[in-house]
PDB file of all heavy atoms in Angstrom:
ATOM      1  N   TYR A  84     -21.411   7.995  61.347  1.00  0.00           N
ATOM      2  CA  TYR A  84     -21.715   8.586  60.042  1.00  0.00           C
ATOM      3  C   TYR A  84     -21.977   7.486  59.013  1.00  0.00           C
ATOM      4  O   TYR A  84     -21.118   6.632  58.778  1.00  0.00           O
ATOM      5  CB  TYR A  84     -20.545   9.466  59.575  1.00  0.00           C
ATOM      6  CG  TYR A  84     -20.292  10.640  60.473  1.00  0.00           C
ATOM      7  CD1 TYR A  84     -19.444  10.540  61.576  1.00  0.00           C
ATOM      8  CD2 TYR A  84     -20.904  11.868  60.235  1.00  0.00           C
ATOM      9  CE1 TYR A  84     -19.224  11.625  62.414  1.00  0.00           C
ATOM     10  CE2 TYR A  84     -20.678  12.967  61.061  1.00  0.00           C
ATOM     11  CZ  TYR A  84     -19.833  12.834  62.142  1.00  0.00           C
ATOM     12  OH  TYR A  84     -19.615  13.892  62.965  1.00  0.00           O
ATOM     13  N   TYR A  85     -23.150   7.544  58.403  1.00  0.00           N
ATOM     14  CA  TYR A  85     -23.501   6.668  57.293  1.00  0.00           C
ATOM     15  C   TYR A  85     -23.547   7.527  56.040  1.00  0.00           C
ATOM     16  O   TYR A  85     -24.329   8.473  55.941  1.00  0.00           O
ATOM     17  CB  TYR A  85     -24.867   6.010  57.541  1.00  0.00           C
ATOM     18  CG  TYR A  85     -24.841   4.999  58.652  1.00  0.00           C
ATOM     19  CD1 TYR A  85     -25.028   5.382  59.979  1.00  0.00           C
ATOM     20  CD2 TYR A  85     -24.617   3.658  58.386  1.00  0.00           C
ATOM     21  CE1 TYR A  85     -24.983   4.457  61.011  1.00  0.00           C
ATOM     22  CE2 TYR A  85     -24.585   2.720  59.401  1.00  0.00           C
ATOM     23  CZ  TYR A  85     -24.763   3.133  60.707  1.00  0.00           C
ATOM     24  OH  TYR A  85     -24.732   2.204  61.724  1.00  0.00           O
ATOM     25  N   ILE A  86     -22.678   7.228  55.078  1.00  0.00           N
ATOM     26  CA  ILE A  86     -22.537   8.045  53.870  1.00  0.00           C
ATOM     27  C   ILE A  86     -22.773   7.169  52.656  1.00  0.00           C
ATOM     28  O   ILE A  86     -22.192   6.097  52.513  1.00  0.00           O
ATOM     29  CB  ILE A  86     -21.134   8.680  53.805  1.00  0.00           C
ATOM     30  CG1 ILE A  86     -20.887   9.513  55.059  1.00  0.00           C
ATOM     31  CG2 ILE A  86     -20.986   9.514  52.550  1.00  0.00           C
ATOM     32  CD1 ILE A  86     -19.455   9.905  55.283  1.00  0.00           C
ATOM     33  N   ASN A  87     -23.640   7.641  51.772  1.00  0.00           N
ATOM     34  CA  ASN A  87     -23.981   6.910  50.552  1.00  0.00           C
ATOM     35  C   ASN A  87     -23.578   7.776  49.355  1.00  0.00           C
ATOM     36  O   ASN A  87     -23.996   8.918  49.250  1.00  0.00           O
ATOM     37  CB  ASN A  87     -25.489   6.636  50.529  1.00  0.00           C
ATOM     38  CG  ASN A  87     -25.906   5.785  49.356  1.00  0.00           C
ATOM     39  OD1 ASN A  87     -25.089   5.114  48.752  1.00  0.00           O
ATOM     40  ND2 ASN A  87     -27.174   5.825  49.030  1.00  0.00           N
ATOM     41  N   TYR A  88     -22.750   7.224  48.452  1.00  0.00           N
ATOM     42  CA  TYR A  88     -22.273   7.912  47.265  1.00  0.00           C
ATOM     43  C   TYR A  88     -22.774   7.148  46.044  1.00  0.00           C
ATOM     44  O   TYR A  88     -22.540   5.951  45.928  1.00  0.00           O
ATOM     45  CB  TYR A  88     -20.745   7.947  47.276  1.00  0.00           C
ATOM     46  CG  TYR A  88     -20.086   8.464  46.025  1.00  0.00           C
ATOM     47  CD1 TYR A  88     -19.772   9.794  45.870  1.00  0.00           C
ATOM     48  CD2 TYR A  88     -19.776   7.594  44.971  1.00  0.00           C
ATOM     49  CE1 TYR A  88     -19.151  10.259  44.723  1.00  0.00           C
ATOM     50  CE2 TYR A  88     -19.159   8.054  43.820  1.00  0.00           C
ATOM     51  CZ  TYR A  88     -18.854   9.381  43.704  1.00  0.00           C
ATOM     52  OH  TYR A  88     -18.251   9.856  42.576  1.00  0.00           O
ATOM     53  N   VAL A  89     -23.476   7.848  45.151  1.00  0.00           N
ATOM     54  CA  VAL A  89     -24.001   7.208  43.945  1.00  0.00           C
ATOM     55  C   VAL A  89     -23.669   8.095  42.744  1.00  0.00           C
ATOM     56  O   VAL A  89     -23.966   9.280  42.751  1.00  0.00           O
ATOM     57  CB  VAL A  89     -25.534   7.013  44.016  1.00  0.00           C
ATOM     58  CG1 VAL A  89     -26.059   6.399  42.731  1.00  0.00           C
ATOM     59  CG2 VAL A  89     -25.918   6.174  45.202  1.00  0.00           C
ATOM     60  N   ARG A  90     -23.043   7.491  41.727  1.00  0.00           N
ATOM     61  CA  ARG A  90     -22.819   8.181  40.473  1.00  0.00           C
ATOM     62  C   ARG A  90     -23.386   7.291  39.376  1.00  0.00           C
ATOM     63  O   ARG A  90     -22.918   6.186  39.150  1.00  0.00           O
ATOM     64  CB  ARG A  90     -21.335   8.424  40.211  1.00  0.00           C
ATOM     65  CG  ARG A  90     -21.124   9.310  38.985  1.00  0.00           C
ATOM     66  CD  ARG A  90     -19.708   9.321  38.479  1.00  0.00           C
ATOM     67  NE  ARG A  90     -19.436   8.001  37.912  1.00  0.00           N
ATOM     68  CZ  ARG A  90     -18.318   7.333  38.112  1.00  0.00           C
ATOM     69  NH1 ARG A  90     -17.367   7.809  38.832  1.00  0.00           N
ATOM     70  NH2 ARG A  90     -18.143   6.149  37.569  1.00  0.00           N
ATOM     71  N   LYS A  91     -24.420   7.802  38.692  1.00  0.00           N
ATOM     72  CA  LYS A  91     -25.053   7.044  37.626  1.00  0.00           C
ATOM     73  C   LYS A  91     -24.554   7.566  36.279  1.00  0.00           C
ATOM     74  O   LYS A  91     -24.820   8.706  35.920  1.00  0.00           O
ATOM     75  CB  LYS A  91     -26.572   7.145  37.723  1.00  0.00           C
ATOM     76  CG  LYS A  91     -27.099   6.484  38.964  1.00  0.00           C
ATOM     77  CD  LYS A  91     -28.598   6.506  39.019  1.00  0.00           C
ATOM     78  CE  LYS A  91     -29.064   5.788  40.264  1.00  0.00           C
ATOM     79  NZ  LYS A  91     -30.526   5.756  40.372  1.00  0.00           N
ATOM     80  N   GLY A  92     -23.839   6.706  35.557  1.00  0.00           N
ATOM     81  CA  GLY A  92     -23.304   7.095  34.261  1.00  0.00           C
ATOM     82  C   GLY A  92     -22.387   8.280  34.360  1.00  0.00           C
ATOM     83  O   GLY A  92     -21.499   8.349  35.198  1.00  0.00           O
ATOM     84  N   TRP A  93     -22.639   9.264  33.507  1.00  0.00           N
ATOM     85  CA  TRP A  93     -21.807  10.462  33.454  1.00  0.00           C
ATOM     86  C   TRP A  93     -22.396  11.601  34.294  1.00  0.00           C
ATOM     87  O   TRP A  93     -21.899  12.713  34.273  1.00  0.00           O
ATOM     88  CB  TRP A  93     -21.610  10.907  32.013  1.00  0.00           C
ATOM     89  CG  TRP A  93     -20.759   9.950  31.257  1.00  0.00           C
ATOM     90  CD1 TRP A  93     -21.172   8.931  30.456  1.00  0.00           C
ATOM     91  CD2 TRP A  93     -19.334   9.882  31.258  1.00  0.00           C
ATOM     92  NE1 TRP A  93     -20.113   8.240  29.957  1.00  0.00           N
ATOM     93  CE2 TRP A  93     -18.960   8.809  30.425  1.00  0.00           C
ATOM     94  CE3 TRP A  93     -18.338  10.614  31.868  1.00  0.00           C
ATOM     95  CZ2 TRP A  93     -17.646   8.464  30.200  1.00  0.00           C
ATOM     96  CZ3 TRP A  93     -17.030  10.273  31.642  1.00  0.00           C
ATOM     97  CH2 TRP A  93     -16.691   9.212  30.811  1.00  0.00           C
ATOM     98  N   ASN A  94     -23.464  11.348  35.023  1.00  0.00           N
ATOM     99  CA  ASN A  94     -24.089  12.372  35.839  1.00  0.00           C
ATOM    100  C   ASN A  94     -23.235  12.728  37.053  1.00  0.00           C
ATOM    101  O   ASN A  94     -22.371  11.955  37.460  1.00  0.00           O
ATOM    102  CB  ASN A  94     -25.482  11.926  36.317  1.00  0.00           C
ATOM    103  CG  ASN A  94     -26.421  11.700  35.163  1.00  0.00           C
ATOM    104  OD1 ASN A  94     -26.345  12.386  34.159  1.00  0.00           O
ATOM    105  ND2 ASN A  94     -27.303  10.741  35.293  1.00  0.00           N
ATOM    106  N   ASP A  95     -23.507  13.877  37.645  1.00  0.00           N
ATOM    107  CA  ASP A  95     -22.803  14.268  38.852  1.00  0.00           C
ATOM    108  C   ASP A  95     -23.164  13.308  39.990  1.00  0.00           C
ATOM    109  O   ASP A  95     -24.297  12.822  40.063  1.00  0.00           O
ATOM    110  CB  ASP A  95     -23.178  15.699  39.254  1.00  0.00           C
ATOM    111  CG  ASP A  95     -22.617  16.742  38.289  1.00  0.00           C
ATOM    112  OD1 ASP A  95     -21.623  16.441  37.612  1.00  0.00           O
ATOM    113  OD2 ASP A  95     -23.193  17.839  38.224  1.00  0.00           O
ATOM    114  N   PRO A  96     -22.243  13.067  40.894  1.00  0.00           N
ATOM    115  CA  PRO A  96     -22.522  12.153  42.003  1.00  0.00           C
ATOM    116  C   PRO A  96     -23.549  12.740  42.977  1.00  0.00           C
ATOM    117  O   PRO A  96     -23.665  13.954  43.124  1.00  0.00           O
ATOM    118  CB  PRO A  96     -21.167  11.953  42.680  1.00  0.00           C
ATOM    119  CG  PRO A  96     -20.349  13.115  42.263  1.00  0.00           C
ATOM    120  CD  PRO A  96     -20.861  13.563  40.943  1.00  0.00           C
ATOM    121  N   GLU A  97     -24.278  11.846  43.635  1.00  0.00           N
ATOM    122  CA  GLU A  97     -25.235  12.225  44.649  1.00  0.00           C
ATOM    123  C   GLU A  97     -24.756  11.660  45.981  1.00  0.00           C
ATOM    124  O   GLU A  97     -24.305  10.524  46.046  1.00  0.00           O
ATOM    125  CB  GLU A  97     -26.612  11.642  44.325  1.00  0.00           C
ATOM    126  CG  GLU A  97     -27.191  12.103  43.018  1.00  0.00           C
ATOM    127  CD  GLU A  97     -28.461  11.355  42.665  1.00  0.00           C
ATOM    128  OE1 GLU A  97     -29.054  10.707  43.554  1.00  0.00           O
ATOM    129  OE2 GLU A  97     -28.840  11.412  41.492  1.00  0.00           O
ATOM    130  N   TYR A  98     -24.847  12.474  47.012  1.00  0.00           N
ATOM    131  CA  TYR A  98     -24.445  12.066  48.354  1.00  0.00           C
ATOM    132  C   TYR A  98     -25.669  12.076  49.259  1.00  0.00           C
ATOM    133  O   TYR A  98     -26.489  12.987  49.182  1.00  0.00           O
ATOM    134  CB  TYR A  98     -23.412  13.022  48.947  1.00  0.00           C
ATOM    135  CG  TYR A  98     -22.101  13.062  48.220  1.00  0.00           C
ATOM    136  CD1 TYR A  98     -21.876  13.987  47.217  1.00  0.00           C
ATOM    137  CD2 TYR A  98     -21.089  12.180  48.546  1.00  0.00           C
ATOM    138  CE1 TYR A  98     -20.668  14.043  46.549  1.00  0.00           C
ATOM    139  CE2 TYR A  98     -19.881  12.214  47.884  1.00  0.00           C
ATOM    140  CZ  TYR A  98     -19.681  13.151  46.893  1.00  0.00           C
ATOM    141  OH  TYR A  98     -18.473  13.200  46.234  1.00  0.00           O
ATOM    142  N   GLN A  99     -25.754  11.095  50.132  1.00  0.00           N
ATOM    143  CA  GLN A  99     -26.751  11.089  51.189  1.00  0.00           C
ATOM    144  C   GLN A  99     -26.016  10.748  52.477  1.00  0.00           C
ATOM    145  O   GLN A  99     -25.236   9.800  52.505  1.00  0.00           O
ATOM    146  CB  GLN A  99     -27.854  10.067  50.936  1.00  0.00           C
ATOM    147  CG  GLN A  99     -28.798  10.451  49.849  1.00  0.00           C
ATOM    148  CD  GLN A  99     -29.904   9.419  49.697  1.00  0.00           C
ATOM    149  OE1 GLN A  99     -29.642   8.237  49.683  1.00  0.00           O
ATOM    150  NE2 GLN A  99     -31.131   9.901  49.616  1.00  0.00           N
ATOM    151  N   THR A 100     -26.289  11.506  53.518  1.00  0.00           N
ATOM    152  CA  THR A 100     -25.641  11.246  54.789  1.00  0.00           C
ATOM    153  C   THR A 100     -26.669  11.081  55.891  1.00  0.00           C
ATOM    154  O   THR A 100     -27.760  11.641  55.832  1.00  0.00           O
ATOM    155  CB  THR A 100     -24.692  12.389  55.192  1.00  0.00           C
ATOM    156  OG1 THR A 100     -25.435  13.597  55.283  1.00  0.00           O
ATOM    157  CG2 THR A 100     -23.573  12.554  54.184  1.00  0.00           C
ATOM    158  N   LEU A 101     -26.297  10.303  56.859  1.00  0.00           N
ATOM    159  CA  LEU A 101     -27.097  10.118  58.061  1.00  0.00           C
ATOM    160  C   LEU A 101     -26.119  10.075  59.232  1.00  0.00           C
ATOM    161  O   LEU A 101     -25.129   9.348  59.203  1.00  0.00           O
ATOM    162  CB  LEU A 101     -27.894   8.811  58.022  1.00  0.00           C
ATOM    163  CG  LEU A 101     -28.664   8.464  59.284  1.00  0.00           C
ATOM    164  CD1 LEU A 101     -29.833   9.431  59.477  1.00  0.00           C
ATOM    165  CD2 LEU A 101     -29.157   7.046  59.247  1.00  0.00           C
ATOM    166  N   VAL A 102     -26.386  10.890  60.241  1.00  0.00           N
ATOM    167  CA  VAL A 102     -25.562  10.911  61.444  1.00  0.00           C
ATOM    168  C   VAL A 102     -26.430  10.415  62.586  1.00  0.00           C
ATOM    169  O   VAL A 102     -27.492  10.978  62.854  1.00  0.00           O
ATOM    170  CB  VAL A 102     -25.037  12.321  61.759  1.00  0.00           C
ATOM    171  CG1 VAL A 102     -24.159  12.306  63.006  1.00  0.00           C
ATOM    172  CG2 VAL A 102     -24.271  12.890  60.574  1.00  0.00           C
ATOM    173  N   VAL A 103     -25.991   9.332  63.235  1.00  0.00           N
ATOM    174  CA  VAL A 103     -26.694   8.802  64.401  1.00  0.00           C
ATOM    175  C   VAL A 103     -25.923   9.286  65.615  1.00  0.00           C
ATOM    176  O   VAL A 103     -24.717   9.052  65.738  1.00  0.00           O
ATOM    177  CB  VAL A 103     -26.743   7.254  64.356  1.00  0.00           C
ATOM    178  CG1 VAL A 103     -27.459   6.727  65.583  1.00  0.00           C
ATOM    179  CG2 VAL A 103     -27.428   6.780  63.079  1.00  0.00           C
ATOM    180  N   ILE A 104     -26.632   9.964  66.500  1.00  0.00           N
ATOM    181  CA  ILE A 104     -26.005  10.554  67.685  1.00  0.00           C
ATOM    182  C   ILE A 104     -26.431   9.768  68.910  1.00  0.00           C
ATOM    183  O   ILE A 104     -27.629   9.566  69.153  1.00  0.00           O
ATOM    184  CB  ILE A 104     -26.410  12.032  67.827  1.00  0.00           C
ATOM    185  CG1 ILE A 104     -26.009  12.792  66.565  1.00  0.00           C
ATOM    186  CG2 ILE A 104     -25.755  12.649  69.055  1.00  0.00           C
ATOM    187  CD1 ILE A 104     -26.630  14.149  66.434  1.00  0.00           C
ATOM    188  N   PHE A 105     -25.427   9.307  69.669  1.00  0.00           N
ATOM    189  CA  PHE A 105     -25.681   8.508  70.866  1.00  0.00           C
ATOM    190  C   PHE A 105     -25.517   9.359  72.113  1.00  0.00           C
ATOM    191  O   PHE A 105     -24.724  10.308  72.149  1.00  0.00           O
ATOM    192  CB  PHE A 105     -24.717   7.315  70.931  1.00  0.00           C
ATOM    193  CG  PHE A 105     -24.951   6.299  69.863  1.00  0.00           C
ATOM    194  CD1 PHE A 105     -24.272   6.354  68.661  1.00  0.00           C
ATOM    195  CD2 PHE A 105     -25.872   5.283  70.062  1.00  0.00           C
ATOM    196  CE1 PHE A 105     -24.490   5.414  67.673  1.00  0.00           C
ATOM    197  CE2 PHE A 105     -26.104   4.331  69.091  1.00  0.00           C
ATOM    198  CZ  PHE A 105     -25.407   4.401  67.894  1.00  0.00           C
ATOM    199  N   ASP A 106     -26.243   8.981  73.168  1.00  0.00           N
ATOM    200  CA  ASP A 106     -26.129   9.623  74.467  1.00  0.00           C
ATOM    201  C   ASP A 106     -25.167   8.807  75.307  1.00  0.00           C
ATOM    202  O   ASP A 106     -25.457   7.662  75.663  1.00  0.00           O
ATOM    203  CB  ASP A 106     -27.520   9.677  75.118  1.00  0.00           C
ATOM    204  CG  ASP A 106     -27.512  10.455  76.410  1.00  0.00           C
ATOM    205  OD1 ASP A 106     -26.614  11.287  76.612  1.00  0.00           O
ATOM    206  OD2 ASP A 106     -28.431  10.222  77.236  1.00  0.00           O
ATOM    207  N   ASP A 107     -24.002   9.356  75.599  1.00  0.00           N
ATOM    208  CA  ASP A 107     -22.960   8.664  76.378  1.00  0.00           C
ATOM    209  C   ASP A 107     -22.556   7.331  75.749  1.00  0.00           C
ATOM    210  O   ASP A 107     -22.249   6.373  76.447  1.00  0.00           O
ATOM    211  CB  ASP A 107     -23.416   8.434  77.817  1.00  0.00           C
ATOM    212  CG  ASP A 107     -23.656   9.753  78.561  1.00  0.00           C
ATOM    213  OD1 ASP A 107     -22.939  10.715  78.250  1.00  0.00           O
ATOM    214  OD2 ASP A 107     -24.546   9.782  79.429  1.00  0.00           O
ATOM    215  N   ASP A 108     -22.585   7.227  74.431  1.00  0.00           N
ATOM    216  CA  ASP A 108     -22.176   6.030  73.686  1.00  0.00           C
ATOM    217  C   ASP A 108     -23.025   4.797  74.038  1.00  0.00           C
ATOM    218  O   ASP A 108     -22.598   3.672  73.815  1.00  0.00           O
ATOM    219  CB  ASP A 108     -20.705   5.702  73.905  1.00  0.00           C
ATOM    220  CG  ASP A 108     -19.807   6.833  73.445  1.00  0.00           C
ATOM    221  OD1 ASP A 108     -20.219   7.590  72.545  1.00  0.00           O
ATOM    222  OD2 ASP A 108     -18.693   6.946  73.962  1.00  0.00           O
ATOM    223  N   LYS A 109     -24.220   4.989  74.585  1.00  0.00           N
ATOM    224  CA  LYS A 109     -25.011   3.841  75.018  1.00  0.00           C
ATOM    225  C   LYS A 109     -26.337   3.697  74.277  1.00  0.00           C
ATOM    226  O   LYS A 109     -26.721   2.589  73.954  1.00  0.00           O
ATOM    227  CB  LYS A 109     -25.278   3.929  76.517  1.00  0.00           C
ATOM    228  CG  LYS A 109     -24.008   3.825  77.339  1.00  0.00           C
ATOM    229  CD  LYS A 109     -24.305   3.911  78.796  1.00  0.00           C
ATOM    230  CE  LYS A 109     -22.974   3.866  79.570  1.00  0.00           C
ATOM    231  NZ  LYS A 109     -23.117   4.234  80.946  1.00  0.00           N
ATOM    232  N   THR A 110     -27.021   4.786  74.027  1.00  0.00           N
ATOM    233  CA  THR A 110     -28.330   4.701  73.360  1.00  0.00           C
ATOM    234  C   THR A 110     -28.486   5.856  72.370  1.00  0.00           C
ATOM    235  O   THR A 110     -27.864   6.905  72.508  1.00  0.00           O
ATOM    236  CB  THR A 110     -29.490   4.777  74.386  1.00  0.00           C
ATOM    237  OG1 THR A 110     -29.395   5.992  75.115  1.00  0.00           O
ATOM    238  CG2 THR A 110     -29.465   3.599  75.341  1.00  0.00           C
ATOM    239  N   VAL A 111     -29.355   5.658  71.379  1.00  0.00           N
ATOM    240  CA  VAL A 111     -29.605   6.679  70.365  1.00  0.00           C
ATOM    241  C   VAL A 111     -30.292   7.879  71.004  1.00  0.00           C
ATOM    242  O   VAL A 111     -31.281   7.742  71.732  1.00  0.00           O
ATOM    243  CB  VAL A 111     -30.478   6.125  69.217  1.00  0.00           C
ATOM    244  CG1 VAL A 111     -30.866   7.235  68.255  1.00  0.00           C
ATOM    245  CG2 VAL A 111     -29.753   5.019  68.468  1.00  0.00           C
ATOM    246  N   LYS A 112     -29.737   9.037  70.701  1.00  0.00           N
ATOM    247  CA  LYS A 112     -30.295  10.295  71.220  1.00  0.00           C
ATOM    248  C   LYS A 112     -31.002  11.060  70.107  1.00  0.00           C
ATOM    249  O   LYS A 112     -32.071  11.628  70.317  1.00  0.00           O
ATOM    250  CB  LYS A 112     -29.142  11.120  71.802  1.00  0.00           C
ATOM    251  CG  LYS A 112     -29.494  12.474  72.291  1.00  0.00           C
ATOM    252  CD  LYS A 112     -28.229  13.151  72.833  1.00  0.00           C
ATOM    253  CE  LYS A 112     -28.411  14.618  73.041  1.00  0.00           C
ATOM    254  NZ  LYS A 112     -27.164  15.239  73.494  1.00  0.00           N
ATOM    255  N   ASP A 113     -30.412  11.074  68.892  1.00  0.00           N
ATOM    256  CA  ASP A 113     -30.973  11.840  67.784  1.00  0.00           C
ATOM    257  C   ASP A 113     -30.362  11.347  66.483  1.00  0.00           C
ATOM    258  O   ASP A 113     -29.362  10.635  66.477  1.00  0.00           O
ATOM    259  CB  ASP A 113     -30.658  13.328  67.982  1.00  0.00           C
ATOM    260  CG  ASP A 113     -31.527  14.241  67.113  1.00  0.00           C
ATOM    261  OD1 ASP A 113     -32.493  13.746  66.508  1.00  0.00           O
ATOM    262  OD2 ASP A 113     -31.234  15.457  67.061  1.00  0.00           O
ATOM    263  N   ILE A 114     -30.976  11.731  65.368  1.00  0.00           N
ATOM    264  CA  ILE A 114     -30.403  11.484  64.047  1.00  0.00           C
ATOM    265  C   ILE A 114     -30.511  12.774  63.249  1.00  0.00           C
ATOM    266  O   ILE A 114     -31.425  13.571  63.446  1.00  0.00           O
ATOM    267  CB  ILE A 114     -31.081  10.317  63.296  1.00  0.00           C
ATOM    268  CG1 ILE A 114     -32.556  10.598  63.058  1.00  0.00           C
ATOM    269  CG2 ILE A 114     -30.879   9.012  64.026  1.00  0.00           C
ATOM    270  CD1 ILE A 114     -33.238   9.573  62.161  1.00  0.00           C
ATOM    271  N   LYS A 115     -29.549  12.965  62.325  1.00  0.00           N
ATOM    272  CA  LYS A 115     -29.532  14.126  61.465  1.00  0.00           C
ATOM    273  C   LYS A 115     -29.090  13.694  60.076  1.00  0.00           C
ATOM    274  O   LYS A 115     -28.474  12.652  59.911  1.00  0.00           O
ATOM    275  CB  LYS A 115     -28.564  15.190  61.991  1.00  0.00           C
ATOM    276  CG  LYS A 115     -28.945  15.778  63.307  1.00  0.00           C
ATOM    277  CD  LYS A 115     -27.956  16.833  63.753  1.00  0.00           C
ATOM    278  CE  LYS A 115     -28.380  17.396  65.097  1.00  0.00           C
ATOM    279  NZ  LYS A 115     -27.481  18.409  65.596  1.00  0.00           N
TER     280      LYS A 115
END
Side-chain angles (χ1 to χ4, degrees):
Y84 296 89
Y85 290 86
I86 303 166
N87 185 19
Y88 172 92
V89 178
R90 188 194 69 223
K91 294 184 179 181
W93 291 97
N94 297 327
D95 290 337
E97 300 172 16
Y98 296 92
Q99 287 183 313
T100 59
L101 175 70
V102 181
V103 179
I104 302 166
F105 292 93
D106 186 22
D107 297 327
D108 299 334
K109 295 180 183 167
T110 58
V111 173
K112 176 180 166 183
D113 197 10
I114 61 172
K115 295 181 181 180

